Amino acid sequence: MATLIELGVVEGFILDDPIAGVLDNTEYTLGGVSFADITPALVEAVVTRGKNRDLDKFRAGKASIELRNENRAFDPLNTASPYAGSIIPRRQVRVSVDGERVFTGIIQDWNLDYSPDGQSRAEIAAVDDMTLLARQVLTPGTATPQKTGARVSAVLDMESVAWPATQRQIDAGSSDFGADVFDGNALDYLQTVAVASEQGQLFVSKTGDLVFTGRLAATPSTGSFVTFADDGTGIPYTTVRVNYGSELLYNRATVTSPAGTVTANNDRSQIAYGVSDYDLATALSELDETTSLAAFLVQKYADPEYRFEAVEVNVDQLQTSQRTAILGLELGDVLQIKFTPNRVGSQIAQFGQVIRIDNDIRQDRHDMIIGVASLDWNFLVLDDAEFGIIGTNHLAF
C-alpha cells in the first residue's frame, strides 16, 4: 500500500509582482503550486471528515500529520532545509493512498517538539477549505428568486467569497428562495440554504471541491454500493458499532421561514414516546414547502433507530479490489453492512449512507472508520430494488 504526503512548496507566477512575477524565474512558476513528497518522514497521519449523526451539518475536514524532524527539515528557522520558506501556515497539503486522494487542505499550524535526547517531531495541523467559508461574509445586496443550486452559486460568485469555479460540484436543488437581503457569514447562510432549507448535503470533498447535492440527487439508490460483511461476502471489518436510541427521535417539528412558521406533529410517536421537539430555521420562500418540510421531519424521525453507526477496517489486510472500493468512498455514498452478532441468530443486513470517513495512517498500518446514517426511512426511488418499494419508501417533497 502506497501512502503519499505532499507539501505545497512553491507559489505560482504572479503578474507584475517584483519577486513572483519575474519572467523565467524557477521558484515562482506558471504551473502554480508545486508539491514535495514528505512521506519518508511520516510517523502518523490522522484525517477526519464528515459528521457524527444525520441531522448534524458537515464540518470542515481536519488532518493531523506527525513527522520525524531530527534533521530540522520542518523547522521554519532552518534556512538549510530543503523546504526552507515553505514551513509556514496556509501552505497546501495533500494525503493520498494507492493513488486515491484522502484529504486536501491548508495548513493552519506547525507544532514542533524537541527533546534533549535528540528526538524531535513536527506536526502539521491542517483543515479543508470549508474553514475559509466560515471566515467570509456575504457581499451586501438583495437576491433574485432562485432555486437552491443557483443561490449557492450566487454566493460562491460573490466578490467577498470568490470560490474558484473549477472547484465546485453544484446540483440544481429543489427548493425556492426569494429576494433575501444578503448579510452575515457566508458559511452560515449556505448551510441554511443548502442543508436546513433544501435538506441536501454541503461539504468539501477529499479532492478539495465544494459539493452541494440537493435532496433528490442525494437520495440513495442501490445501483452501486460497497458491502461490508463478516461472512466473506464483502469487505471484512475489525469492529462494527451499533446504536439503538432516541438521539434522532423527534415528533414535533417547528419550521420557520420568511413565508411563516409551521408546526407539525406525529401523534402516534408522541403517544408511544412522549413529545420530542425539533426547531429548524430556514430561508424558504414558499409556505407550502415550509409545511412539507415540517411534515417530512416528523415522519422521518418519529421512531428510535437500530442502526449501524460505524465500521472499522484494517486497510492493510484487504485485497487490492477491496482497498480500491473502500478508498473510493466519499461522503454521501451508499453502503451495506452485514453482521451476525457473536455468530448467534440471524444475520442483520442494513443499508447506510456514508456521513463520516476517518483515516489513521502509519508506516506499518492503515485503519479506516466509516460512519453511516440509517436508510430505514428513504425517499422512493423509481425502479430501485431496495428503495423503490411503494408503501415502504416515501414520496419526496
Side-chain angles (χ1 to χ4, degrees):
M1 185 179 66
T3 298
L4 178 63
I5 312 295
E6 297 175 288
L7 172 66
V9 294
V10 177
E11 294 291 352
F13 181 88
I14 302 173
L15 187 65
D16 297 329
D17 187 276
I19 298 175
V22 177
L23 291 175
D24 298 324
N25 80 85
T26 59
E27 183 175 2
Y28 298 93
T29 64
L30 288 171
V33 176
S34 295
F35 287 88
D37 181 359
I38 59 173
T39 313
L42 177 66
V43 176
E44 183 176 20
V46 177
V47 176
T48 59
R49 298 178 55 243
K51 59 184 180 179
N52 290 324
R53 64 174 199 154
D54 191 25
L55 283 172
D56 292 341
K57 300 168 184 174
F58 285 112
R59 303 183 300 271
K62 296 182 179 181
S64 173
I65 303 170
E66 184 180 356
L67 306 165
R68 289 185 296 275
N69 194 34
E70 283 76 14
N71 62 357
R72 294 184 63 197
F74 304 106
D75 188 328
L77 301 183
N78 179 18
T79 57
S81 165
Y83 316 116
S86 296
I87 309 303
I88 58 176
R90 311 301 296 172
R91 290 291 186 180
Q92 295 184 21
V93 65
R94 305 190 302 202
V95 180
S96 304
V97 178
D98 288 356
E100 183 74 34
R101 191 72 55 80
V102 171
F103 176 81
T104 303
I106 52 176
I107 297 171
Q108 283 193 312
D109 297 296
W110 286 89
N111 301 310
L112 307 178
D113 289 328
Y114 295 100
S115 62
D117 62 5
Q119 285 193 343
S120 45
R121 295 289 186 266
E123 181 204 7
I124 293 174
V127 293
D128 68 30
D129 280 344
M130 188 170 279
T131 56
L132 295 181
L133 286 175
R135 296 172 181 163
Q136 293 168 327
V137 296
L138 301 171
T139 300
T142 301
T144 58
Q146 293 168 312
K147 290 289 187 182
T148 315
R151 182 61 56 88
V152 170
S153 294
V155 170
L156 298 179
D157 288 339
M158 288 180 174
E159 184 178 354
S160 58
V161 178
W163 190 279
T166 56
Q167 293 177 229
R168 307 180 190 180
Q169 299 176 39
I170 308 300
D171 181 45
S174 302
S175 295
D176 292 299
F177 299 89
D180 295 349
V181 175
F182 288 128
D183 183 42
N185 181 268
L187 180 59
D188 288 345
Y189 182 78
L190 286 172
Q191 289 177 329
T192 297
V193 168
V195 182
S197 305
E198 169 75 28
Q199 291 294 296
Q201 299 170 342
L202 183 74
F203 60 89
V204 172
S205 74
K206 55 189 176 181
T207 58
D209 290 351
L210 183 69
V211 178
F212 161 65
T213 310
R215 62 176 175 270
L216 299 183
T219 299
S221 65
T222 55
S224 176
F225 60 89
V226 176
T227 298
F228 295 83
D230 60 353
D231 61 359
T233 61
I235 295 175
Y237 48 81
T238 56
T239 305
V240 61
R241 301 174 190 169
V242 178
N243 179 278
Y244 182 52
S246 59
E247 64 175 9
L248 291 175
L249 171 62
Y250 297 105
N251 48 37
R252 182 165 63 193
T254 300
V255 179
T256 59
S257 73
T261 300
V262 175
T263 298
N265 291 277
N266 188 313
D267 295 335
R268 176 195 59 79
S269 176
Q270 291 179 6
I271 292 171
Y273 308 111
V275 176
S276 182
D277 286 292
Y278 183 70
D279 297 327
L280 184 65
T282 76
L284 295 169
S285 62
E286 301 292 336
L287 187 60
D288 286 348
E289 192 169 0
T290 306
T291 302
S292 296
L293 175 54
F296 156 76
L297 292 169
V298 296
Q299 289 181 63
K300 182 172 182 178
Y301 300 106
D303 296 290
E305 293 182 324
Y306 181 99
R307 66 184 179 92
F308 292 113
E309 187 175 68
V311 288
E312 183 170 353
V313 178
N314 180 348
V315 181
D316 297 301
Q317 300 299 315
L318 302 181
Q319 301 171 7
T320 300
S321 60
Q322 294 172 332
R323 286 203 308 271
T324 300
I326 191 172
L327 290 169
L329 286 174
E330 180 57 289
L331 301 175
D333 286 349
V334 175
L335 54 77
Q336 184 184 45
I337 302 173
K338 299 178 181 179
F339 176 49
T340 305
N342 301 327
R343 307 293 183 188
V344 176
S346 301
Q347 184 183 72
I348 303 167
Q350 286 188 356
F351 286 95
Q353 188 167 40
V354 177
I355 60 172
R356 191 177 87 252
I357 302 176
D358 296 345
N359 286 267
D360 187 347
I361 305 167
R362 289 159 281 173
Q363 293 287 10
D364 60 347
R365 183 175 174 122
H366 178 189
D367 292 297
M368 288 183 69
I369 297 177
I370 311 298
V372 296
S374 170
L375 292 179
D376 284 350
W377 199 104
N378 195 54
F379 288 141
L380 183 72
V381 180
L382 291 178
D383 300 323
D384 188 277
E386 180 68 23
F387 302 124
I389 303 173
I390 296 175
T392 299
N393 303 112
H394 309 269
L395 294 175
F397 67 96

mmCIF file of all heavy atoms in Angstrom, residues 11-34:
data_model
loop_
_atom_site.group_PDB
_atom_site.id
_atom_site.type_symbol
_atom_site.label_atom_id
_atom_site.label_comp_id
_atom_site.label_asym_id
_atom_site.label_seq_id
_atom_site.Cartn_x
_atom_site.Cartn_y
_atom_site.Cartn_z
ATOM 1 N N GLU A 11 4.896 28.796 -4.672
ATOM 2 C CA GLU A 11 3.762 29.578 -5.130
ATOM 3 C C GLU A 11 3.898 29.845 -6.621
ATOM 4 O O GLU A 11 5.003 29.883 -7.169
ATOM 5 C CB GLU A 11 3.689 30.904 -4.374
ATOM 6 C CG GLU A 11 3.400 30.753 -2.886
ATOM 7 C CD GLU A 11 1.982 30.270 -2.620
ATOM 8 O OE1 GLU A 11 1.191 30.197 -3.569
ATOM 9 O OE2 GLU A 11 1.688 29.953 -1.460
ATOM 10 N N GLY A 12 2.781 30.056 -7.281
ATOM 11 C CA GLY A 12 2.797 30.262 -8.713
ATOM 12 C C GLY A 12 3.198 31.669 -9.123
ATOM 13 O O GLY A 12 3.312 32.582 -8.304
ATOM 14 N N PHE A 13 3.405 31.830 -10.409
ATOM 15 C CA PHE A 13 3.778 33.107 -11.013
ATOM 16 C C PHE A 13 2.668 34.139 -10.791
ATOM 17 O O PHE A 13 1.487 33.857 -10.978
ATOM 18 C CB PHE A 13 4.000 32.886 -12.503
ATOM 19 C CG PHE A 13 4.422 34.123 -13.257
ATOM 20 C CD1 PHE A 13 5.755 34.466 -13.361
ATOM 21 C CD2 PHE A 13 3.463 34.922 -13.872
ATOM 22 C CE1 PHE A 13 6.136 35.597 -14.067
ATOM 23 C CE2 PHE A 13 3.837 36.049 -14.576
ATOM 24 C CZ PHE A 13 5.182 36.393 -14.678
ATOM 25 N N ILE A 14 3.027 35.356 -10.382
ATOM 26 C CA ILE A 14 2.074 36.436 -10.150
ATOM 27 C C ILE A 14 2.458 37.608 -11.044
ATOM 28 O O ILE A 14 3.536 38.196 -10.895
ATOM 29 C CB ILE A 14 2.062 36.877 -8.674
ATOM 30 C CG1 ILE A 14 1.722 35.689 -7.766
ATOM 31 C CG2 ILE A 14 1.050 38.003 -8.458
ATOM 32 C CD1 ILE A 14 1.850 36.006 -6.291
ATOM 33 N N LEU A 15 1.609 37.949 -11.994
ATOM 34 C CA LEU A 15 1.891 39.001 -12.952
ATOM 35 C C LEU A 15 2.171 40.329 -12.249
ATOM 36 O O LEU A 15 1.443 40.732 -11.328
ATOM 37 C CB LEU A 15 0.718 39.151 -13.921
ATOM 38 C CG LEU A 15 0.922 40.112 -15.098
ATOM 39 C CD1 LEU A 15 2.022 39.578 -16.018
ATOM 40 C CD2 LEU A 15 -0.386 40.274 -15.874
ATOM 41 N N ASP A 16 3.230 40.995 -12.669
ATOM 42 C CA ASP A 16 3.631 42.322 -12.189
ATOM 43 C C ASP A 16 4.185 42.313 -10.761
ATOM 44 O O ASP A 16 4.490 43.385 -10.223
ATOM 45 C CB ASP A 16 2.467 43.330 -12.268
ATOM 46 C CG ASP A 16 2.014 43.564 -13.702
ATOM 47 O OD1 ASP A 16 2.864 43.480 -14.602
ATOM 48 O OD2 ASP A 16 0.804 43.814 -13.909
ATOM 49 N N ASP A 17 4.287 41.147 -10.137
ATOM 50 C CA ASP A 17 4.882 41.099 -8.800
ATOM 51 C C ASP A 17 6.407 41.213 -8.937
ATOM 52 O O ASP A 17 7.008 40.537 -9.785
ATOM 53 C CB ASP A 17 4.513 39.786 -8.096
ATOM 54 C CG ASP A 17 4.966 39.756 -6.652
ATOM 55 O OD1 ASP A 17 6.148 39.421 -6.399
ATOM 56 O OD2 ASP A 17 4.144 40.061 -5.774
ATOM 57 N N PRO A 18 7.069 42.069 -8.123
ATOM 58 C CA PRO A 18 8.509 42.274 -8.286
ATOM 59 C C PRO A 18 9.348 41.036 -7.997
ATOM 60 O O PRO A 18 10.493 40.943 -8.440
ATOM 61 C CB PRO A 18 8.822 43.396 -7.289
ATOM 62 C CG PRO A 18 7.708 43.343 -6.298
ATOM 63 C CD PRO A 18 6.499 42.904 -7.059
ATOM 64 N N ILE A 19 8.816 40.079 -7.246
ATOM 65 C CA ILE A 19 9.556 38.853 -6.944
ATOM 66 C C ILE A 19 8.960 37.663 -7.676
ATOM 67 O O ILE A 19 9.631 36.965 -8.434
ATOM 68 C CB ILE A 19 9.574 38.600 -5.421
ATOM 69 C CG1 ILE A 19 10.294 39.748 -4.708
ATOM 70 C CG2 ILE A 19 10.251 37.266 -5.108
ATOM 71 C CD1 ILE A 19 10.261 39.646 -3.197
ATOM 72 N N ALA A 20 7.644 37.437 -7.452
ATOM 73 C CA ALA A 20 6.991 36.267 -8.049
ATOM 74 C C ALA A 20 6.604 36.491 -9.495
ATOM 75 O O ALA A 20 6.138 35.564 -10.164
ATOM 76 C CB ALA A 20 5.756 35.886 -7.232
ATOM 77 N N GLY A 21 6.784 37.701 -10.020
ATOM 78 C CA GLY A 21 6.392 37.992 -11.390
ATOM 79 C C GLY A 21 7.541 38.172 -12.348
ATOM 80 O O GLY A 21 7.356 38.686 -13.459
ATOM 81 N N VAL A 22 8.744 37.756 -11.955
ATOM 82 C CA VAL A 22 9.919 37.874 -12.820
ATOM 83 C C VAL A 22 9.903 36.749 -13.846
ATOM 84 O O VAL A 22 9.834 35.563 -13.487
ATOM 85 C CB VAL A 22 11.219 37.837 -11.994
ATOM 86 C CG1 VAL A 22 12.433 37.896 -12.911
ATOM 87 C CG2 VAL A 22 11.244 38.977 -10.983
ATOM 88 N N LEU A 23 9.969 37.123 -15.112
ATOM 89 C CA LEU A 23 9.941 36.111 -16.175
ATOM 90 C C LEU A 23 11.142 35.176 -16.073
ATOM 91 O O LEU A 23 12.248 35.589 -15.718
ATOM 92 C CB LEU A 23 9.919 36.792 -17.542
ATOM 93 C CG LEU A 23 8.632 37.543 -17.910
ATOM 94 C CD1 LEU A 23 8.818 38.266 -19.238
ATOM 95 C CD2 LEU A 23 7.451 36.582 -17.975
ATOM 96 N N ASP A 24 10.885 33.901 -16.390
ATOM 97 C CA ASP A 24 11.916 32.855 -16.440
ATOM 98 C C ASP A 24 12.504 32.516 -15.078
ATOM 99 O O ASP A 24 13.536 31.838 -14.997
ATOM 100 C CB ASP A 24 13.064 33.256 -17.390
ATOM 101 C CG ASP A 24 12.585 33.445 -18.824
ATOM 102 O OD1 ASP A 24 11.687 32.670 -19.239
ATOM 103 O OD2 ASP A 24 13.081 34.352 -19.500
ATOM 104 N N ASN A 25 11.846 32.981 -13.971
ATOM 105 C CA ASN A 25 12.360 32.560 -12.664
ATOM 106 C C ASN A 25 11.970 31.112 -12.432
ATOM 107 O O ASN A 25 10.999 30.603 -12.995
ATOM 108 C CB ASN A 25 11.848 33.471 -11.544
ATOM 109 C CG ASN A 25 10.439 33.131 -11.103
ATOM 110 O OD1 ASN A 25 10.255 32.256 -10.276
ATOM 111 N ND2 ASN A 25 9.442 33.828 -11.649
ATOM 112 N N THR A 26 12.722 30.413 -11.619
ATOM 113 C CA THR A 26 12.492 28.982 -11.386
ATOM 114 C C THR A 26 11.746 28.704 -10.090
ATOM 115 O O THR A 26 11.351 27.563 -9.832
ATOM 116 C CB THR A 26 13.842 28.228 -11.342
ATOM 117 O OG1 THR A 26 14.652 28.788 -10.298
ATOM 118 C CG2 THR A 26 14.553 28.336 -12.673
ATOM 119 N N GLU A 27 11.525 29.710 -9.271
ATOM 120 C CA GLU A 27 10.857 29.493 -7.990
ATOM 121 C C GLU A 27 9.356 29.700 -8.097
ATOM 122 O O GLU A 27 8.565 28.922 -7.558
ATOM 123 C CB GLU A 27 11.424 30.431 -6.925
ATOM 124 C CG GLU A 27 10.810 30.213 -5.541
ATOM 125 C CD GLU A 27 11.451 31.065 -4.465
ATOM 126 O OE1 GLU A 27 12.355 31.859 -4.802
ATOM 127 O OE2 GLU A 27 11.042 30.943 -3.299
ATOM 128 N N TYR A 28 8.937 30.740 -8.826
ATOM 129 C CA TYR A 28 7.512 31.033 -8.980
ATOM 130 C C TYR A 28 7.125 30.726 -10.418
ATOM 131 O O TYR A 28 7.290 31.545 -11.319
ATOM 132 C CB TYR A 28 7.222 32.497 -8.623
ATOM 133 C CG TYR A 28 7.550 32.818 -7.194
ATOM 134 C CD1 TYR A 28 8.805 33.335 -6.847
ATOM 135 C CD2 TYR A 28 6.633 32.573 -6.175
ATOM 136 C CE1 TYR A 28 9.116 33.605 -5.522
ATOM 137 C CE2 TYR A 28 6.935 32.842 -4.852
ATOM 138 C CZ TYR A 28 8.176 33.356 -4.535
ATOM 139 O OH TYR A 28 8.477 33.621 -3.224
ATOM 140 N N THR A 29 6.616 29.530 -10.639
ATOM 141 C CA THR A 29 6.390 29.028 -11.996
ATOM 142 C C THR A 29 4.958 29.254 -12.437
ATOM 143 O O THR A 29 4.050 29.445 -11.629
ATOM 144 C CB THR A 29 6.708 27.524 -12.064
ATOM 145 O OG1 THR A 29 5.789 26.830 -11.213
ATOM 146 C CG2 THR A 29 8.121 27.251 -11.609
ATOM 147 N N LEU A 30 4.740 29.186 -13.746
ATOM 148 C CA LEU A 30 3.395 29.342 -14.290
ATOM 149 C C LEU A 30 2.492 28.179 -13.919
ATOM 150 O O LEU A 30 1.272 28.271 -13.986
ATOM 151 C CB LEU A 30 3.465 29.469 -15.820
ATOM 152 C CG LEU A 30 4.031 30.794 -16.346
ATOM 153 C CD1 LEU A 30 4.248 30.704 -17.852
ATOM 154 C CD2 LEU A 30 3.085 31.938 -16.014
ATOM 155 N N GLY A 31 3.060 27.076 -13.503
ATOM 156 C CA GLY A 31 2.264 25.903 -13.148
ATOM 157 C C GLY A 31 1.581 26.001 -11.811
ATOM 158 O O GLY A 31 0.829 25.107 -11.433
ATOM 159 N N GLY A 32 1.804 27.080 -11.060
ATOM 160 C CA GLY A 32 1.174 27.222 -9.757
ATOM 161 C C GLY A 32 1.962 26.520 -8.672
ATOM 162 O O GLY A 32 3.184 26.385 -8.748
ATOM 163 N N VAL A 33 1.263 26.051 -7.657
ATOM 164 C CA VAL A 33 1.914 25.421 -6.513
ATOM 165 C C VAL A 33 2.523 24.086 -6.924
ATOM 166 O O VAL A 33 1.895 23.290 -7.621
ATOM 167 C CB VAL A 33 0.900 25.214 -5.379
ATOM 168 C CG1 VAL A 33 1.532 24.477 -4.207
ATOM 169 C CG2 VAL A 33 0.351 26.556 -4.915
ATOM 170 N N SER A 34 3.748 23.838 -6.486
ATOM 171 C CA SER A 34 4.369 22.530 -6.643
ATOM 172 C C SER A 34 4.274 21.784 -5.317
ATOM 173 O O SER A 34 4.153 22.394 -4.260
ATOM 174 C CB SER A 34 5.842 22.677 -7.053
ATOM 175 O OG SER A 34 5.952 23.271 -8.319
#
